[in-house]
Amino acid sequence: MKEKSEHRYDDIINLPHHVSESRPQMSRWNRAAQFSPFAALTGYDAAIRETARLTEERIELDESRRAEISEKLRLLHENQAERPTASITYFVYDKYKDGGAYVTTTGEIKKVDPVYHTVIMADGTVIDMEEIIEVHLPSEIGG
C-alpha cells in the first residue's frame, strides 16, 4: 500500500505549470496572504493589551508636602523671567481606565500661572499644579 501512495501523482508530477489565459496571475504576496492566520475577532488583541495595561493611583499629599511644593512654585514664579530649569513630577489621568501615570519632565519654565494653577514649560507642556507631587529646583538637579 505504501508503494501505491508514493506513486499516486507520478502521472502529473512533471507536467508544466498551468497558466490561465482568462485570469491574471496572482502575486506572491497575495498568494501568501491566503495562508496567513485569520483574526475572527477584530480588535480582540488590542482589547487584551488594554486590559493588561497597568495604571497607578493618584497619591494624596499631606499639608507639609503641599506647602513645600507651593514654596518651590513660588520661587519659580518669582524667577520665571530668568527661565529657570526645574524637574517636575506630576500625575496624568488615563483617558481609558481609572488611575493614570506619574510623569517627570525637566526643562525651562516658561510661566508659573497662579490664576489658572498651571506651570507652562518652554516645550509647551502644561502641568496642573494640583497634580504635582515633586519639584526639583536647579540646585537640586545639578543645575
Side-chain angles (χ1 to χ4, degrees):
M1 188 133 165
K2 190 171 184 182
E3 274 185 41
K4 187 176 183 182
S5 66
E6 284 180 14
H7 301 287
R8 184 184 299 182
Y9 299 106
D10 284 350
D11 59 332
I12 64 169
I13 198 75
N14 292 319
L15 291 177
H17 176 72
H18 173 73
V19 178
S20 174
E21 293 177 13
S22 62
R23 297 180 185 254
Q25 192 168 356
M26 187 181 288
S27 71
R28 285 181 183 245
W29 176 264
N30 288 338
R31 191 176 204 60
Q34 295 181 91
F35 303 103
S36 64
F38 171 67
L41 300 173
T42 304
Y44 183 70
D45 289 338
I48 294 294
R49 281 192 303 276
E50 176 62 23
T51 302
R53 187 174 56 84
L54 299 176
T55 57
E56 297 177 81
E57 288 188 31
R58 185 176 178 272
I59 298 169
E60 287 295 328
L61 301 177
D62 61 20
E63 286 303 313
S64 65
R65 189 79 179 115
R66 286 198 171 282
E68 182 183 327
I69 291 170
S70 292
E71 177 60 21
K72 290 180 179 183
L73 291 174
R74 185 188 65 73
L75 290 170
L76 289 171
H77 178 66
E78 287 177 359
N79 296 300
Q80 68 187 2
E82 299 167 16
R83 288 247 158 127
T85 299
S87 183
I88 300 175
T89 302
Y90 59 101
F91 189 75
V92 177
Y93 286 94
D94 193 283
K95 293 179 184 177
Y96 306 106
K97 296 172 79 171
D98 287 338
Y102 281 96
V103 177
T104 300
T105 186
T106 302
E108 287 184 5
I109 304 296
K110 182 177 179 181
K111 183 176 184 181
V112 177
D113 192 337
V115 175
Y116 292 104
H117 300 280
T118 58
V119 176
I120 303 171
M121 306 296 284
D123 68 1
T125 303
V126 178
I127 302 169
D128 182 349
M129 287 182 189
E130 298 299 316
E131 304 306 329
I132 296 173
I133 64 161
E134 198 167 65
V135 177
H136 291 290
L137 298 177
S139 61
E140 299 170 328
I141 59 175

mmCIF file with all atom_site columns, all heavy atoms in Angstrom, residues 85-88 104-108 121 123 141:
data_model
loop_
_atom_site.group_PDB
_atom_site.id
_atom_site.type_symbol
_atom_site.label_atom_id
_atom_site.label_alt_id
_atom_site.label_comp_id
_atom_site.label_asym_id
_atom_site.label_entity_id
_atom_site.label_seq_id
_atom_site.pdbx_PDB_ins_code
_atom_site.Cartn_x
_atom_site.Cartn_y
_atom_site.Cartn_z
_atom_site.occupancy
_atom_site.B_iso_or_equiv
_atom_site.pdbx_formal_charge
_atom_site.auth_seq_id
_atom_site.auth_comp_id
_atom_site.auth_asym_id
_atom_site.auth_atom_id
_atom_site.pdbx_PDB_model_num
ATOM 1  N N   . THR A 1 85  ? 15.346 76.359 35.215 1.00 0.00 ? 85  THR A N   1
ATOM 2  C CA  . THR A 1 85  ? 15.128 74.951 34.888 1.00 0.00 ? 85  THR A CA  1
ATOM 3  C C   . THR A 1 85  ? 14.625 74.254 36.141 1.00 0.00 ? 85  THR A C   1
ATOM 4  O O   . THR A 1 85  ? 15.085 74.531 37.244 1.00 0.00 ? 85  THR A O   1
ATOM 5  C CB  . THR A 1 85  ? 16.447 74.303 34.424 1.00 0.00 ? 85  THR A CB  1
ATOM 6  O OG1 . THR A 1 85  ? 16.896 74.984 33.260 1.00 0.00 ? 85  THR A OG1 1
ATOM 7  C CG2 . THR A 1 85  ? 16.262 72.845 34.101 1.00 0.00 ? 85  THR A CG2 1
ATOM 8  N N   . ALA A 1 86  ? 13.688 73.338 35.960 1.00 0.00 ? 86  ALA A N   1
ATOM 9  C CA  . ALA A 1 86  ? 13.178 72.559 37.080 1.00 0.00 ? 86  ALA A CA  1
ATOM 10 C C   . ALA A 1 86  ? 12.780 71.181 36.566 1.00 0.00 ? 86  ALA A C   1
ATOM 11 O O   . ALA A 1 86  ? 12.537 70.989 35.375 1.00 0.00 ? 86  ALA A O   1
ATOM 12 C CB  . ALA A 1 86  ? 11.978 73.246 37.719 1.00 0.00 ? 86  ALA A CB  1
ATOM 13 N N   . SER A 1 87  ? 12.713 70.260 37.496 1.00 0.00 ? 87  SER A N   1
ATOM 14 C CA  . SER A 1 87  ? 12.238 68.913 37.202 1.00 0.00 ? 87  SER A CA  1
ATOM 15 C C   . SER A 1 87  ? 10.958 68.727 38.012 1.00 0.00 ? 87  SER A C   1
ATOM 16 O O   . SER A 1 87  ? 10.966 68.861 39.226 1.00 0.00 ? 87  SER A O   1
ATOM 17 C CB  . SER A 1 87  ? 13.302 67.898 37.596 1.00 0.00 ? 87  SER A CB  1
ATOM 18 O OG  . SER A 1 87  ? 12.883 66.603 37.257 1.00 0.00 ? 87  SER A OG  1
ATOM 19 N N   . ILE A 1 88  ? 9.854  68.434 37.308 1.00 0.00 ? 88  ILE A N   1
ATOM 20 C CA  . ILE A 1 88  ? 8.545  68.348 37.962 1.00 0.00 ? 88  ILE A CA  1
ATOM 21 C C   . ILE A 1 88  ? 7.937  66.973 37.692 1.00 0.00 ? 88  ILE A C   1
ATOM 22 O O   . ILE A 1 88  ? 7.870  66.523 36.552 1.00 0.00 ? 88  ILE A O   1
ATOM 23 C CB  . ILE A 1 88  ? 7.600  69.451 37.441 1.00 0.00 ? 88  ILE A CB  1
ATOM 24 C CG1 . ILE A 1 88  ? 8.214  70.830 37.722 1.00 0.00 ? 88  ILE A CG1 1
ATOM 25 C CG2 . ILE A 1 88  ? 6.220  69.327 38.063 1.00 0.00 ? 88  ILE A CG2 1
ATOM 26 C CD1 . ILE A 1 88  ? 7.425  71.982 37.134 1.00 0.00 ? 88  ILE A CD1 1
ATOM 27 N N   . THR A 1 104 ? 7.558  62.627 34.779 1.00 0.00 ? 104 THR A N   1
ATOM 28 C CA  . THR A 1 104 ? 8.538  63.619 35.199 1.00 0.00 ? 104 THR A CA  1
ATOM 29 C C   . THR A 1 104 ? 9.058  64.329 33.967 1.00 0.00 ? 104 THR A C   1
ATOM 30 O O   . THR A 1 104 ? 9.456  63.687 32.998 1.00 0.00 ? 104 THR A O   1
ATOM 31 C CB  . THR A 1 104 ? 9.710  62.965 35.959 1.00 0.00 ? 104 THR A CB  1
ATOM 32 O OG1 . THR A 1 104 ? 9.185  62.296 37.109 1.00 0.00 ? 104 THR A OG1 1
ATOM 33 C CG2 . THR A 1 104 ? 10.729 64.005 36.405 1.00 0.00 ? 104 THR A CG2 1
ATOM 34 N N   . THR A 1 105 ? 9.011  65.643 34.018 1.00 0.00 ? 105 THR A N   1
ATOM 35 C CA  . THR A 1 105 ? 9.546  66.440 32.914 1.00 0.00 ? 105 THR A CA  1
ATOM 36 C C   . THR A 1 105 ? 10.562 67.428 33.473 1.00 0.00 ? 105 THR A C   1
ATOM 37 O O   . THR A 1 105 ? 10.374 67.973 34.554 1.00 0.00 ? 105 THR A O   1
ATOM 38 C CB  . THR A 1 105 ? 8.423  67.158 32.129 1.00 0.00 ? 105 THR A CB  1
ATOM 39 O OG1 . THR A 1 105 ? 8.968  67.796 31.001 1.00 0.00 ? 105 THR A OG1 1
ATOM 40 C CG2 . THR A 1 105 ? 7.697  68.180 32.973 1.00 0.00 ? 105 THR A CG2 1
ATOM 41 N N   . THR A 1 106 ? 11.639 67.604 32.741 1.00 0.00 ? 106 THR A N   1
ATOM 42 C CA  . THR A 1 106 ? 12.688 68.528 33.147 1.00 0.00 ? 106 THR A CA  1
ATOM 43 C C   . THR A 1 106 ? 12.919 69.504 32.010 1.00 0.00 ? 106 THR A C   1
ATOM 44 O O   . THR A 1 106 ? 13.032 69.097 30.856 1.00 0.00 ? 106 THR A O   1
ATOM 45 C CB  . THR A 1 106 ? 13.991 67.768 33.457 1.00 0.00 ? 106 THR A CB  1
ATOM 46 O OG1 . THR A 1 106 ? 13.736 66.813 34.492 1.00 0.00 ? 106 THR A OG1 1
ATOM 47 C CG2 . THR A 1 106 ? 15.094 68.717 33.904 1.00 0.00 ? 106 THR A CG2 1
ATOM 48 N N   . GLY A 1 107 ? 12.978 70.775 32.358 1.00 0.00 ? 107 GLY A N   1
ATOM 49 C CA  . GLY A 1 107 ? 13.218 71.781 31.327 1.00 0.00 ? 107 GLY A CA  1
ATOM 50 C C   . GLY A 1 107 ? 13.022 73.180 31.861 1.00 0.00 ? 107 GLY A C   1
ATOM 51 O O   . GLY A 1 107 ? 12.829 73.392 33.057 1.00 0.00 ? 107 GLY A O   1
ATOM 52 N N   . GLU A 1 108 ? 13.060 74.124 30.919 1.00 0.00 ? 108 GLU A N   1
ATOM 53 C CA  . GLU A 1 108 ? 12.881 75.532 31.281 1.00 0.00 ? 108 GLU A CA  1
ATOM 54 C C   . GLU A 1 108 ? 11.414 75.804 31.610 1.00 0.00 ? 108 GLU A C   1
ATOM 55 O O   . GLU A 1 108 ? 10.524 75.312 30.945 1.00 0.00 ? 108 GLU A O   1
ATOM 56 C CB  . GLU A 1 108 ? 13.288 76.444 30.121 1.00 0.00 ? 108 GLU A CB  1
ATOM 57 C CG  . GLU A 1 108 ? 14.762 76.521 29.891 1.00 0.00 ? 108 GLU A CG  1
ATOM 58 C CD  . GLU A 1 108 ? 15.100 77.523 28.786 1.00 0.00 ? 108 GLU A CD  1
ATOM 59 O OE1 . GLU A 1 108 ? 14.199 78.221 28.271 1.00 0.00 ? 108 GLU A OE1 1
ATOM 60 O OE2 . GLU A 1 108 ? 16.272 77.606 28.436 1.00 0.00 ? 108 GLU A OE2 1
ATOM 61 N N   . MET A 1 121 ? 5.765  74.776 30.621 1.00 0.00 ? 121 MET A N   1
ATOM 62 C CA  . MET A 1 121 ? 7.163  74.544 30.296 1.00 0.00 ? 121 MET A CA  1
ATOM 63 C C   . MET A 1 121 ? 7.479  75.186 28.946 1.00 0.00 ? 121 MET A C   1
ATOM 64 O O   . MET A 1 121 ? 6.584  75.449 28.139 1.00 0.00 ? 121 MET A O   1
ATOM 65 C CB  . MET A 1 121 ? 7.457  73.041 30.241 1.00 0.00 ? 121 MET A CB  1
ATOM 66 C CG  . MET A 1 121 ? 7.062  72.260 31.488 1.00 0.00 ? 121 MET A CG  1
ATOM 67 S SD  . MET A 1 121 ? 7.974  72.736 32.959 1.00 0.00 ? 121 MET A SD  1
ATOM 68 C CE  . MET A 1 121 ? 9.540  71.947 32.645 1.00 0.00 ? 121 MET A CE  1
ATOM 69 N N   . ASP A 1 123 ? 8.720  73.840 26.415 1.00 0.00 ? 123 ASP A N   1
ATOM 70 C CA  . ASP A 1 123 ? 8.363  72.939 25.305 1.00 0.00 ? 123 ASP A CA  1
ATOM 71 C C   . ASP A 1 123 ? 6.855  72.874 25.057 1.00 0.00 ? 123 ASP A C   1
ATOM 72 O O   . ASP A 1 123 ? 6.386  72.144 24.197 1.00 0.00 ? 123 ASP A O   1
ATOM 73 C CB  . ASP A 1 123 ? 8.930  71.537 25.533 1.00 0.00 ? 123 ASP A CB  1
ATOM 74 C CG  . ASP A 1 123 ? 8.277  70.810 26.705 1.00 0.00 ? 123 ASP A CG  1
ATOM 75 O OD1 . ASP A 1 123 ? 7.362  71.370 27.360 1.00 0.00 ? 123 ASP A OD1 1
ATOM 76 O OD2 . ASP A 1 123 ? 8.685  69.671 26.974 1.00 0.00 ? 123 ASP A OD2 1
ATOM 77 N N   . ILE A 1 141 ? 18.908 69.630 41.091 1.00 0.00 ? 141 ILE A N   1
ATOM 78 C CA  . ILE A 1 141 ? 19.079 68.742 39.954 1.00 0.00 ? 141 ILE A CA  1
ATOM 79 C C   . ILE A 1 141 ? 20.441 68.930 39.292 1.00 0.00 ? 141 ILE A C   1
ATOM 80 O O   . ILE A 1 141 ? 20.673 68.492 38.182 1.00 0.00 ? 141 ILE A O   1
ATOM 81 C CB  . ILE A 1 141 ? 17.940 68.900 38.907 1.00 0.00 ? 141 ILE A CB  1
ATOM 82 C CG1 . ILE A 1 141 ? 17.849 70.326 38.379 1.00 0.00 ? 141 ILE A CG1 1
ATOM 83 C CG2 . ILE A 1 141 ? 16.622 68.432 39.452 1.00 0.00 ? 141 ILE A CG2 1
ATOM 84 C CD1 . ILE A 1 141 ? 16.824 70.504 37.264 1.00 0.00 ? 141 ILE A CD1 1
#
